[in-house]
């Protein structure tokens, strides 16, 4: 049985939507998964699922770009997305209208970062970067205990990185940038470059040397700009565990002694996998719901 305070959480991804109920202490009670169909198709299912469970508040981690500033008209809206029916859709208002409960709202990667900070590999830390490497690349950033927004929200998956001279592929999977991290190092980029999905390339050392180089270049930028106490790497590509030592070694090389802190010296505990068994996004959404409730 779950506690009296029952929270709802939604992890809105580009291909699937994860729904869950849970408690403020991070216990997940029930879970459901829907495909990310058009709003008119999937929203009634979501509302009905949560109504049947009498949640007291809801937290949402939404795919971006999305409006996260409560002071702007764009708050709670999905913005410039190619996903059919979702562009400029007011997701937050639709959920509030359908459920009539307090709703906390942020990006999916910010929610995942929050989940790791409260329950996972960054528990107790105030300055954290969470990077997910999969179909796309996105980052959630927590600084001084606050998820970062600013004029929009961090889009750290689209920082420009210098191409490696030995990269055999001169294309990109990003329609906006020729040399951004997502365009060069996402799962689809790996597959198009090498002709096979990442899971079938495990024994190809050249694949992971190149991937680690791009990811470590990005991490060096995050270290310089955000000064995080820990960097957490998640997503499907990071299931290739051989990437972690390669990234750690290359990050040290790129920093070249300029940043010399106890955290960097303990690099194996600085760049780490997630600690929530893949549940960081939904756990972060539950925390957003709890905060919206004021519990």
């Amino acid at each position: 049985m779950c506690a009296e305070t029952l929270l709802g959480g939604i992890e809105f991804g580009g291909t699937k939507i994860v729904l869950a109920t849970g408690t403020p202490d991070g216990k997940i009670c029930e879970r459901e998964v829907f495909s990310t169909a058009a709003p008119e198709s999937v929203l009634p299912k979501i509302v009905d699922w949560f109504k049947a469970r009498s949640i007291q508040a809801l937290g949402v981690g939404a795919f971006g770009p999305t409006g996260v500033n409560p002071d702007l008209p764009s708050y709670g809206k999905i913005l410039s997305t190619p996903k059919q029916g979702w562009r400029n859709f007011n997701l937050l208002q639709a959920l509030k209208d359908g459920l009539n409960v307090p709703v906390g709202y942020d990006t999916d990667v910010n929610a995942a970062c929050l989940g790791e900070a409260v329950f996972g590999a960054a528990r107790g830390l105030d300055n954290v970067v969470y990077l997910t490497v999969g179909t796309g690349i996105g980052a959630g950033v927590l600084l001084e205990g606050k998820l970062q927004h600013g004029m929009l929200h961090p889009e750290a998956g689209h920082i420009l990185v210098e191409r490696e001279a030995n990269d055999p592929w001169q294309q990109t999977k990003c329609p906006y940038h020729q040399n951004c991290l997502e365009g060069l190092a996402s799962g689809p980029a790996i597959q198009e470059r090498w002709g096979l999905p990442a899971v079938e390339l495990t024994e190809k050392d050249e694949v992971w040397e190149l991937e680690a180089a791009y990811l470590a270049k990005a991490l060096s930028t995050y270290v310089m700009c955000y000064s995080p106490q820990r960097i957490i790497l998640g997503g499907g590509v990071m299931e290739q565990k051989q990437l972690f030592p390669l990234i750690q070694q290359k990050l040290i090389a790129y920093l070249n002694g300029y940043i010399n802190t106890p955290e960097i010296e303990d690099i194996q505990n600085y760049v780490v996998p997630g600690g929530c068994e893949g549940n960081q996004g939904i756990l972060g959404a539950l925390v957003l719901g709890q905060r919206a409730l004021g519990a």
Side-chain angles (χ1 to χ4, degrees):
M1 294 292 292
C2 282
E4 288 184 11
T5 302
L6 189 64
L7 305 168
I10 308 179
E11 188 177 6
F12 259 92
T15 57
K16 68 178 180 179
I17 302 168
V18 181
L19 283 60
T21 58
T23 62
D25 61 358
K27 178 183 177 182
I28 296 174
C29 303
E30 293 184 81
R31 185 192 302 263
E32 183 64 80
V33 179
F34 296 126
S35 296
T36 309
E40 61 271 18
S41 171
V42 75
L43 258 296
K45 297 178 185 178
I46 293 172
V47 168
D48 288 347
W49 194 85
F50 281 116
K51 274 187 172 180
R53 285 151 181 84
S54 300
I55 60 171
Q56 293 175 254
L58 177 69
V60 180
F63 62 83
T66 187
V68 292
N69 186 338
D71 297 327
L72 296 179
S74 60
Y75 181 52
K77 293 182 180 179
I78 303 296
L79 302 176
S80 56
T81 178
K83 295 174 180 63
Q84 186 173 5
W86 288 99
R87 190 181 182 95
N88 295 320
F89 182 78
N90 196 328
L91 175 58
L92 176 60
Q93 193 62 54
L95 292 168
K96 283 184 173 180
D97 291 345
L99 293 171
N100 195 30
V101 297
V103 181
Y105 189 89
D106 215 306
T107 68
D108 51 355
V109 285
N110 260 355
C113 185
L114 183 61
E116 290 289 352
V118 175
F119 298 112
R123 185 180 299 189
L125 300 180
D126 294 327
N127 299 275
V128 180
V129 171
Y130 173 84
L131 188 74
T132 181
V133 187
T135 303
I137 297 181
V141 180
L142 184 80
L143 296 181
E144 297 184 351
K146 296 181 180 180
L147 294 170
Q148 295 305 292
H149 297 146
M151 66 176 181
L152 184 63
H153 49 73
E155 280 288 354
H158 286 269
I159 64 169
L160 302 183
V161 293
E162 183 182 5
R163 278 187 182 259
E164 288 288 284
N166 64 343
D167 190 340
W169 187 58
Q170 296 305 309
Q171 304 302 313
T172 179
K173 290 303 291 183
C174 178
Y176 296 97
H177 313 114
Q178 182 65 23
N179 293 335
C180 77
L181 182 66
E182 179 171 296
L184 296 177
S186 63
I190 293 171
Q191 180 164 350
E192 189 162 323
R193 178 186 286 111
W194 302 104
L196 291 169
V199 70
E200 297 181 36
L201 294 164
T202 300
E203 304 302 322
K204 300 288 187 181
D205 292 346
E206 65 271 26
V207 173
W208 307 114
E209 285 284 345
L210 184 64
E211 180 71 5
Y214 287 134
L215 292 174
K217 285 179 179 180
L219 298 196
S220 69
T221 297
Y222 306 152
V223 169
M224 300 296 187
C225 293
Y226 296 131
S227 197
Q229 295 162 292
R230 186 163 295 152
I231 298 174
I232 301 166
L233 304 180
V237 170
M238 295 311 305
E239 292 176 9
Q240 301 288 328
K241 299 303 182 187
Q242 71 272 28
L243 269 173
F244 281 91
L246 292 173
I247 293 169
Q248 292 161 353
Q249 294 160 15
K250 291 179 186 296
L251 176 57
I252 291 289
Y254 293 145
L255 294 175
N256 199 29
Y258 183 69
I259 303 295
N260 185 16
T261 65
E263 291 86 353
I264 297 299
E265 289 177 359
D266 188 19
I267 192 69
Q268 291 182 346
N269 290 310
Y270 183 68
V271 177
V272 299
C276 296
E277 299 180 344
N279 292 317
Q280 54 266 69
I282 207 68
L283 287 171
L286 293 176
V287 176
L288 291 172
Q290 179 186 1
R291 291 180 176 181
L293 185 62

